[in-house]
Amino acid sequence: MTENQKRILEMLADKKISVDDAHRLLNAIDSTEGSQRGIPRAETTTKTKPKYLRVTIVPDLTHEHSQNVDRVNIRVPMSLIRAGIKLTSLIPIEARDKVNKALQEKGIDFDIHKVKPEDIEDLVEALSDLEVDVASSKGEKVKVFVE
Amino acid sequence: MKLPPTLMHVKIHGEEGNFGIWLPLFLLLPLAFVVFIILLPLILIAIIVLWPSGWGRRSLLTLWIAPQILCSLRGLKVDIKNEKENVFISIV
């Protein structure tokens, strides 16, 4: 057991992090340390396919206004996202031009015309590396991740 | 091929009262399918009529994608709560 793994388990024992967080951190350490040592482990070589996109909003207990925060727990199947992306083909060309223009106004150089069904799988797989963790000033913790 | 969802659980807790229901989708979906088959000739005529404007193709694509979306709903969970209210939707 490495120093980092011990530290995570200590944080879990102290209830500073949840079981889910500990699992994710241990997996992340496994993959980075495994690759550094050049050890081909099953977990590191075969990337598990993400099943769900999770969005959670929980109160930040250290914040004074945390009691007024809504709790949100949303789990969206990845297959629903895949099917939803297919709906982009139903968007009329005129609407796509408007979307492209709006994106460019926001500084995003992206052409929605170029999204093809073949790219969907790559897009969804790329989501597996996504992890957003925001602590807002309103006393809420927002997490977006895949599992 | 993914199977369509079998049950939908909706729970709403609020100040005005509580409401909870288990919807047996496995019973409702065959009914919806029968209605769809009955309406299919009309839908096909509408698609043919709308084809020159481009909406016919989109309607046909919608017919193709809608069952995929329905089958993908399995596993969806939404749980939102504050001090007074709680909305919970789960599809299994």
Side-chain angles (χ1 to χ4, degrees):
Chain A
M1 188 183 288
T2 65
E3 195 60 39
N4 284 336
Q5 287 169 327
K6 271 184 193 170
R7 212 176 296 160
I8 291 166
L9 292 175
E10 280 168 10
M11 284 162 75
L12 179 63
D14 296 340
K15 292 182 179 172
K16 287 180 183 170
I17 55 171
S18 67
V19 175
D20 284 346
D21 291 336
H23 182 248
R24 272 203 310 281
L25 286 169
L26 286 170
N27 275 345
I29 284 175
D30 265 5
S31 58
T32 51
E33 291 183 353
S35 61
Q36 279 168 6
R37 289 195 298 264
I39 303 165
R41 291 185 55 170
E43 283 172 356
T44 57
T45 50
T46 56
K47 208 173 185 180
T48 52
K49 268 196 168 182
K51 278 189 170 178
Y52 300 105
L53 176 73
R54 294 280 309 274
V55 179
T56 61
I57 301 174
V58 290
D60 185 356
L61 297 174
T62 57
H63 200 278
E64 56 183 316
H65 300 299
S66 63
Q67 287 171 343
N68 303 326
V69 171
D70 294 353
R71 286 171 183 266
V72 176
N73 185 4
I74 297 174
R75 189 178 72 178
V76 184
M78 281 300 189
S79 51
L80 185 60
I81 293 172
R82 280 190 194 94
I85 293 173
K86 283 180 192 169
L87 283 175
T88 52
S89 59
L90 298 175
I91 302 173
I93 293 168
E94 308 84 54
R96 287 185 205 182
D97 289 338
K98 282 183 185 171
V99 171
N100 279 343
K101 202 177 168 188
L103 286 171
Q104 277 174 356
E105 278 171 13
K106 296 278 180 189
I108 303 164
D109 189 21
F110 183 76
D111 188 358
I112 202 167
H113 293 285
K114 289 179 182 169
V115 178
K116 291 172 189 159
E118 306 92 77
D119 303 329
I120 292 171
E121 208 50 48
D122 291 341
L123 273 169
V124 173
E125 262 188 42
L127 278 176
S128 62
D129 299 325
L130 173 83
E131 187 160 338
V132 179
D133 200 343
V134 182
S136 81
S137 57
K138 292 174 187 171
E140 54 192 19
K141 276 185 176 179
V142 181
K143 276 188 180 182
V144 182
F145 58 95
V146 292
E147 61 180 21
Chain B
M1 175 77 189
K2 281 192 88 174
L3 292 171
T6 50
L7 292 166
M8 182 176 178
H9 187 197
V10 180
K11 246 186 343 182
I12 298 167
H13 291 276
E15 287 176 316
E16 292 166 6
N18 299 335
F19 169 79
I21 189 168
W22 281 93
L23 280 173
L25 296 179
F26 65 95
L27 293 175
L28 298 175
L29 288 175
L31 283 175
F33 185 70
V34 171
V35 172
F36 172 73
I37 294 293
I38 293 166
L39 293 176
L40 194 58
L42 290 174
I43 293 168
L44 287 176
I45 290 167
I47 287 171
I48 292 164
V49 169
L50 292 171
W51 196 265
S53 66
W55 283 101
R57 189 181 153 272
R58 282 185 205 119
S59 309
L60 199 64
L61 270 170
T62 308
L63 283 182
W64 174 249
I65 295 170
Q68 292 178 35
I69 289 179
L70 183 76
C71 293
S72 311
L73 283 173
R74 195 187 269 254
L76 179 74
K77 196 174 93 174
V78 177
D79 188 6
I80 301 168
K81 59 179 115 176
N82 62 19
E83 285 175 350
K84 294 168 186 170
E85 291 169 325
N86 179 16
V87 177
F88 176 84
I89 299 167
S90 173
I91 299 176
V92 288

